[in-house]
Amino acid sequence: MIQYFPKEFSSKAIVSYFLALAAVSFIFRDYIMRPEFMLIGIAWVLIFFLNSSRLSRKWHGYEQKKFVRKLFVIALVIRIVWVLFSWVFYTIKTGIPFEFGASDSLGYHTAAIWYHEIGWDETRDYLRHVSRGDIGYPLYLYFLYGIYGPNIFITRIIKSILGSWMCVLIYKLAQRTFNEDAARMAAVFCCFCPNLIMYCGMHLKETEMIFLAVAALERSDYMMRQKKAGILNVTLAFLLTASLFFFRSVLGSAVVFAIFSSLVFSNSTMMTQSNRVLLIVWAVVAITFFAGGRIAREAEQLWNSRGGNQAAKRSHQVNKGYEWAKYATGTVMAPMMFVLPFPTMVDVDNQYAQQMNNGGNYVRNFMGIFVILALLNALLGKKNWRNFTLIGAFIVAYLGIVCTSGFANSERFLLPGYPILLMIAAYGITLVDNWNYRYVRMWYWLMPILIISWAVFKLGSRGLL
């Protein structure tokens, strides 16, 4: 069994990325990416693959406390470095320390400031008329700004701390779900994951939302594995899950579904009968509470009524490209849910944020083969899917909802499932052997083809070819 991320995988992944970047840049040279986005993409690919290979091997022999300490410190340092770099980079490029095309992030920031200007009583009255899934993050910023003022930098440092803590939670969750080797790899992957790092430098809610989702899953998993669930454990899991409905209703619904599925289908050895009955009652109460009235309507309508900025951006695209994105859902996109989104390596429609994150999306695409191997093994090989019901139900529920929306290739909407995908990918790597390695070798060559095909679509759907 593979115990760390092999150097061979890392090297081949880097070569595959450079092949794709060179091919797209040459074939579509009239729409070549700007040099700064190329350099950022290259840097992310090197940072992820080189460090994942080197440190998963180096840290493999550390005792647990030392590993967790190293993990948290390195994750925090790299996130703070990115916060500093992105602050300067965005200020130079956009004139303000906000990302390209910032709309939601500026809206959250100004809303929190406005709440302080009008006072708490008026804010409370105003929030009664706001969608519940939109309340959480501006209110969170409101309380932070009440402590230290509307300081963007401090807020992003807090994001960095939460993002680093999330890596530790992934380690604990993977350790109980899979094994120590997969857990350490998963934690290292999250530590150096470009997408997760980049959102620490933005004023969006994704970092906090992902932390809460992972914490809810981790605490629920811990609770279900105890001989006695305990009121404190149940309450904490409930509060973490409930908080998600104030950030994104569908994400909260996916966590509730995952917990309930795990209680019903998980291996009976995981918990005592009394615990199972108690927790199923808890899940039924939670579902009854969250499924009623306003929250249920918000969950049902989320992908139609929300995603305003995504839809606004796409409305500026030519009709053919937008129509394809709207209808390429369901059965078409669902099989690719563990691999999406594809990286944008051509300069079209001023999609600078997507170009800037081309390296991060490539990392996700490449790691997708190990996710697929793990899932196939659980379903067809060892048939031990019951042990992975919690994370499996969550990822299928959440990504399934996204892939039946009009934003199946939207990196931001797919992001909350990413840490769990990295966790599953780490387990998939431990399963690679001489027989199934042939599929990994095929993936090395398939990735450039997929990326070139995506570039063809981006340009062709806009009539640029």
Side-chain angles (χ1 to χ4, degrees), residues 441-460:
R441 284 199 300 265
M442 291 169 58
W443 200 253
Y444 298 151
W445 297 102
L446 182 60
M447 282 307 308
I449 294 173
L450 291 173
I451 293 170
I452 293 170
S453 300
W454 180 245
V456 170
F457 162 75
K458 297 284 283 190
L459 297 173

Side-chain angles (χ1 to χ4, degrees), residues 267-284:
N267 205 324
S268 60
T269 60
M270 281 179 58
M271 66 189 80
T272 64
Q273 191 62 27
S274 59
N275 259 10
R276 189 184 297 272
V277 172
L278 171 64
L279 297 176
I280 288 178
V281 170
W282 170 84
V284 170

